[in-house]
Amino acid sequence: MGGRIWVDSMFGKGSTFGFTARFGVAPQVPTETDIHTAQSFTGRQVLVVDDNPAMLAFIRAELERIDLHVDCYQSPDQILEQAKRRIGKHYDLLIIDALMPAMGGMELLEQLSTDDTFTNTPAVLMTSYDDTSANKLLEQQKLHALMIKPIKQSMLLQVVSNCLQGKKSSPKSVEDNGEQMVVKYSRLLGGTNWLLAEDNEINQMLAKELLE
């Protein structure tokens, strides 16, 4: 890292360790102003659809912390049934996982787009990799943002704030070096088998989601 490390030690008094290093410029993250702006959206309605309960719990906790109302569903069928029966309520933002067992996020968004309740609702797609199809939807203005997992608090707040202000976010505007490393190593490690030892069920689900 272009630096050095050293220690000054004196018997009976102790040791002092020191180092120097060169670091790159940190990627842009939400400022205090961005977070305060997000807090101004008190009471807005957000719909989150993801088959992973750990991800739902994380997003709900972060968004409720800034006083947003959050409805979470693990199955796209639940939302479509509500829309079919005309009992679905208006949402200010949709956050949907791209990869779900029964129906993918893009297919769900396509079906919801035919319903007046969801026609003009900003939509965010969550994906575990740099999805070409999702990027095309973003370019065609059919998505407001694309979030590449693992999703950090800063990324989530930035995207939600942008969407509720009517701003669109490109993947590059919300990615940081961590997400770029995930894309890089997913190509290198794809297909390998991993053993995870963890006694906490939530941590197991989260780790499984991140590694897969």
Side-chain angles (χ1 to χ4, degrees):
M1 299 176 70
R4 65 189 187 93
I5 186 170
W6 69 92
V7 59
D8 294 320
S9 184
M10 184 173 292
F11 180 77
K13 290 189 175 181
S15 302
T16 301
F17 295 86
F19 75 93
T20 62
R22 292 182 178 273
F23 297 94
V25 178
Q28 184 178 359
V29 297
T31 63
E32 287 298 318
T33 303
D34 295 324
I35 295 174
H36 290 318
T37 300
Q39 290 174 334
S40 70
F41 299 123
T42 299
R44 303 289 282 275
Q45 306 283 340
V46 181
L47 171 67
V48 185
V49 186
D50 194 317
D51 63 307
N52 186 309
M55 183 60 68
L56 289 178
F58 164 71
I59 294 176
R60 180 194 289 278
E62 291 301 326
L63 298 188
E64 287 184 344
R65 192 171 62 86
I66 56 172
D67 295 325
L68 294 174
H69 290 169
V70 185
D71 288 340
C72 294
Y73 294 91
Q74 287 184 247
S75 170
D77 292 338
Q78 295 171 291
I79 305 303
L80 294 174
E81 181 61 27
Q82 287 188 17
K84 186 185 300 182
R85 296 165 57 191
R86 298 292 177 183
I87 60 174
K89 65 182 181 182
H90 169 76
Y91 288 102
D92 299 292
L93 179 63
L94 308 178
I95 302 177
I96 298 177
D97 185 33
L99 298 175
M100 293 181 284
M103 178 185 300
M106 287 186 285
E107 183 182 350
L108 175 59
L109 285 173
E110 188 68 31
Q111 294 199 35
L112 291 177
S113 67
T114 62
D115 187 277
D116 294 340
T117 307
F118 299 96
T119 301
N120 298 313
T121 306
V124 177
L125 198 67
M126 300 183 290
T127 179
S128 299
Y129 54 92
D130 197 0
D131 193 310
T132 303
S133 300
N135 274 296
K136 288 181 179 178
L137 289 179
L138 194 63
E139 292 168 1
Q140 294 167 5
Q141 311 298 305
K142 294 182 179 180
L143 283 176
H144 273 64
L146 179 65
M147 291 196 293
I148 299 177
K149 297 178 181 180
I151 295 169
K152 296 184 176 67
Q153 178 195 54
S154 58
M155 177 196 296
L156 180 64
L157 290 179
Q158 181 182 349
V159 167
V160 168
S161 178
N162 285 348
C163 289
L164 293 179
Q165 293 179 82
K167 301 176 183 177
K168 293 185 182 290
S169 302
S170 69
K172 294 301 179 186
S173 71
V174 295
E175 270 189 344
D176 64 14
N177 288 338
E179 279 65 60
Q180 294 172 18
M181 291 294 285
V182 168
V183 173
K184 174 182 176 181
Y185 284 105
S186 66
R187 292 168 181 159
L188 292 175
L189 301 176
T192 58
N193 296 313
W194 290 60
L195 172 65
L196 173 67
E198 168 61 60
D199 63 340
N200 185 285
E201 187 176 352
I202 296 297
N203 288 343
Q204 289 176 12
M205 290 188 292
L206 181 58
K208 190 171 186 293
E209 170 73 13
L210 296 179
L211 292 174
E212 288 182 342

